[in-house]
mmCIF file of all heavy atoms in Angstrom:
data_model
loop_
_atom_site.group_PDB
_atom_site.id
_atom_site.type_symbol
_atom_site.label_atom_id
_atom_site.label_comp_id
_atom_site.label_asym_id
_atom_site.label_seq_id
_atom_site.Cartn_x
_atom_site.Cartn_y
_atom_site.Cartn_z
ATOM 1 N N ILE B 103 -127.767 -61.085 -108.551
ATOM 2 C CA ILE B 103 -127.216 -61.754 -109.733
ATOM 3 C C ILE B 103 -125.850 -62.296 -109.331
ATOM 4 O O ILE B 103 -124.899 -61.540 -109.178
ATOM 5 C CB ILE B 103 -127.089 -60.790 -110.932
ATOM 6 C CG1 ILE B 103 -128.451 -60.153 -111.257
ATOM 7 C CG2 ILE B 103 -126.534 -61.517 -112.148
ATOM 8 C CD1 ILE B 103 -128.400 -59.113 -112.360
ATOM 9 N N THR B 104 -125.790 -63.592 -109.152
ATOM 10 C CA THR B 104 -124.543 -64.207 -108.708
ATOM 11 C C THR B 104 -123.475 -64.064 -109.776
ATOM 12 O O THR B 104 -123.759 -64.233 -110.956
ATOM 13 C CB THR B 104 -124.767 -65.703 -108.408
ATOM 14 O OG1 THR B 104 -126.003 -65.831 -107.720
ATOM 15 C CG2 THR B 104 -123.649 -66.270 -107.558
ATOM 16 N N GLY B 105 -122.280 -63.745 -109.349
ATOM 17 C CA GLY B 105 -121.178 -63.618 -110.296
ATOM 18 C C GLY B 105 -121.135 -62.271 -110.981
ATOM 19 O O GLY B 105 -120.270 -62.008 -111.799
ATOM 20 N N TYR B 106 -122.083 -61.431 -110.667
ATOM 21 C CA TYR B 106 -122.049 -60.090 -111.245
ATOM 22 C C TYR B 106 -122.276 -59.056 -110.153
ATOM 23 O O TYR B 106 -121.361 -58.344 -109.745
ATOM 24 C CB TYR B 106 -123.089 -59.956 -112.359
ATOM 25 C CG TYR B 106 -123.297 -58.542 -112.845
ATOM 26 C CD1 TYR B 106 -122.260 -57.853 -113.459
ATOM 27 C CD2 TYR B 106 -124.520 -57.895 -112.683
ATOM 28 C CE1 TYR B 106 -122.440 -56.555 -113.901
ATOM 29 C CE2 TYR B 106 -124.702 -56.603 -113.123
ATOM 30 C CZ TYR B 106 -123.671 -55.934 -113.726
ATOM 31 O OH TYR B 106 -123.857 -54.652 -114.154
ATOM 32 N N ARG B 107 -123.493 -59.001 -109.631
ATOM 33 C CA ARG B 107 -123.754 -57.975 -108.647
ATOM 34 C C ARG B 107 -123.051 -58.237 -107.324
ATOM 35 O O ARG B 107 -122.613 -57.305 -106.674
ATOM 36 C CB ARG B 107 -125.273 -57.800 -108.435
ATOM 37 C CG ARG B 107 -125.634 -56.576 -107.650
ATOM 38 C CD ARG B 107 -124.933 -55.323 -108.163
ATOM 39 N NE ARG B 107 -125.734 -54.523 -109.062
ATOM 40 C CZ ARG B 107 -125.226 -53.707 -109.976
ATOM 41 N NH1 ARG B 107 -123.915 -53.598 -110.119
ATOM 42 N NH2 ARG B 107 -126.016 -53.010 -110.763
ATOM 43 N N ASP B 108 -122.920 -59.503 -106.950
ATOM 44 C CA ASP B 108 -122.224 -59.746 -105.680
ATOM 45 C C ASP B 108 -120.782 -59.247 -105.770
ATOM 46 O O ASP B 108 -120.262 -58.654 -104.822
ATOM 47 C CB ASP B 108 -122.296 -61.225 -105.279
ATOM 48 C CG ASP B 108 -121.972 -62.163 -106.444
ATOM 49 O OD1 ASP B 108 -121.779 -61.651 -107.563
ATOM 50 O OD2 ASP B 108 -121.907 -63.372 -106.222
ATOM 51 N N ASP B 109 -120.154 -59.409 -106.943
ATOM 52 C CA ASP B 109 -118.788 -58.909 -107.092
ATOM 53 C C ASP B 109 -118.734 -57.388 -107.082
ATOM 54 O O ASP B 109 -117.881 -56.785 -106.444
ATOM 55 C CB ASP B 109 -118.185 -59.412 -108.409
ATOM 56 C CG ASP B 109 -117.874 -60.898 -108.353
ATOM 57 O OD1 ASP B 109 -118.026 -61.473 -107.258
ATOM 58 O OD2 ASP B 109 -117.492 -61.462 -109.393
ATOM 59 N N SER B 110 -119.678 -56.783 -107.804
ATOM 60 C CA SER B 110 -119.616 -55.325 -107.880
ATOM 61 C C SER B 110 -119.980 -54.705 -106.533
ATOM 62 O O SER B 110 -119.494 -53.637 -106.193
ATOM 63 C CB SER B 110 -120.524 -54.806 -108.994
ATOM 64 O OG SER B 110 -121.859 -55.137 -108.741
ATOM 65 N N LEU B 111 -120.804 -55.385 -105.766
ATOM 66 C CA LEU B 111 -121.137 -54.851 -104.441
ATOM 67 C C LEU B 111 -119.916 -54.873 -103.520
ATOM 68 O O LEU B 111 -119.775 -54.000 -102.660
ATOM 69 C CB LEU B 111 -122.281 -55.654 -103.804
ATOM 70 C CG LEU B 111 -123.661 -55.286 -104.323
ATOM 71 C CD1 LEU B 111 -124.729 -56.200 -103.729
ATOM 72 C CD2 LEU B 111 -124.003 -53.829 -104.027
ATOM 73 N N GLU B 112 -119.043 -55.855 -103.733
ATOM 74 C CA GLU B 112 -117.792 -55.862 -102.962
ATOM 75 C C GLU B 112 -117.020 -54.572 -103.223
ATOM 76 O O GLU B 112 -116.444 -53.981 -102.316
ATOM 77 C CB GLU B 112 -116.942 -57.079 -103.344
ATOM 78 C CG GLU B 112 -117.488 -58.413 -102.813
ATOM 79 C CD GLU B 112 -117.816 -58.359 -101.329
ATOM 80 O OE1 GLU B 112 -116.957 -57.900 -100.541
ATOM 81 O OE2 GLU B 112 -118.947 -58.759 -100.947
ATOM 82 N N THR B 113 -117.027 -54.151 -104.494
ATOM 83 C CA THR B 113 -116.364 -52.893 -104.843
ATOM 84 C C THR B 113 -116.993 -51.735 -104.082
ATOM 85 O O THR B 113 -116.294 -50.890 -103.523
ATOM 86 C CB THR B 113 -116.489 -52.633 -106.364
ATOM 87 O OG1 THR B 113 -116.195 -53.833 -107.054
ATOM 88 C CG2 THR B 113 -115.558 -51.541 -106.805
ATOM 89 N N VAL B 114 -118.319 -51.701 -104.069
ATOM 90 C CA VAL B 114 -118.998 -50.605 -103.394
ATOM 91 C C VAL B 114 -118.678 -50.628 -101.893
ATOM 92 O O VAL B 114 -118.475 -49.581 -101.273
ATOM 93 C CB VAL B 114 -120.522 -50.681 -103.617
ATOM 94 C CG1 VAL B 114 -121.208 -49.492 -102.972
ATOM 95 C CG2 VAL B 114 -120.856 -50.714 -105.093
ATOM 96 N N LYS B 115 -118.590 -51.837 -101.320
ATOM 97 C CA LYS B 115 -118.280 -51.927 -99.891
ATOM 98 C C LYS B 115 -116.873 -51.400 -99.612
ATOM 99 O O LYS B 115 -116.633 -50.774 -98.581
ATOM 100 C CB LYS B 115 -118.412 -53.382 -99.413
ATOM 101 C CG LYS B 115 -119.864 -53.814 -99.229
ATOM 102 C CD LYS B 115 -119.966 -55.301 -98.895
ATOM 103 C CE LYS B 115 -121.414 -55.751 -98.995
ATOM 104 N NZ LYS B 115 -121.498 -57.228 -99.109
ATOM 105 N N ARG B 116 -115.953 -51.648 -100.533
ATOM 106 C CA ARG B 116 -114.609 -51.077 -100.363
ATOM 107 C C ARG B 116 -114.681 -49.555 -100.472
ATOM 108 O O ARG B 116 -114.042 -48.839 -99.712
ATOM 109 C CB ARG B 116 -113.653 -51.644 -101.407
ATOM 110 C CG ARG B 116 -113.214 -53.083 -101.129
ATOM 111 C CD ARG B 116 -111.980 -53.457 -101.938
ATOM 112 N NE ARG B 116 -112.210 -53.395 -103.394
ATOM 113 C CZ ARG B 116 -112.751 -54.397 -104.104
ATOM 114 N NH1 ARG B 116 -113.112 -55.518 -103.502
ATOM 115 N NH2 ARG B 116 -112.917 -54.276 -105.400
ATOM 116 N N ASN B 117 -115.493 -49.088 -101.411
ATOM 117 C CA ASN B 117 -115.640 -47.638 -101.556
ATOM 118 C C ASN B 117 -116.175 -47.004 -100.284
ATOM 119 O O ASN B 117 -115.777 -45.900 -99.911
ATOM 120 C CB ASN B 117 -116.602 -47.294 -102.702
ATOM 121 C CG ASN B 117 -116.022 -47.643 -104.061
ATOM 122 O OD1 ASN B 117 -114.819 -47.819 -104.195
ATOM 123 N ND2 ASN B 117 -116.875 -47.746 -105.065
#
Side-chain angles (χ1 to χ4, degrees):
Chain B
I103 304 176
T104 318
Y106 170 64
R107 192 49 97 205
D108 46 356
D109 288 354
S110 62
L111 281 175
E112 287 310 311
T113 315
V114 183
K115 283 174 191 162
R116 285 197 298 276
N117 291 342

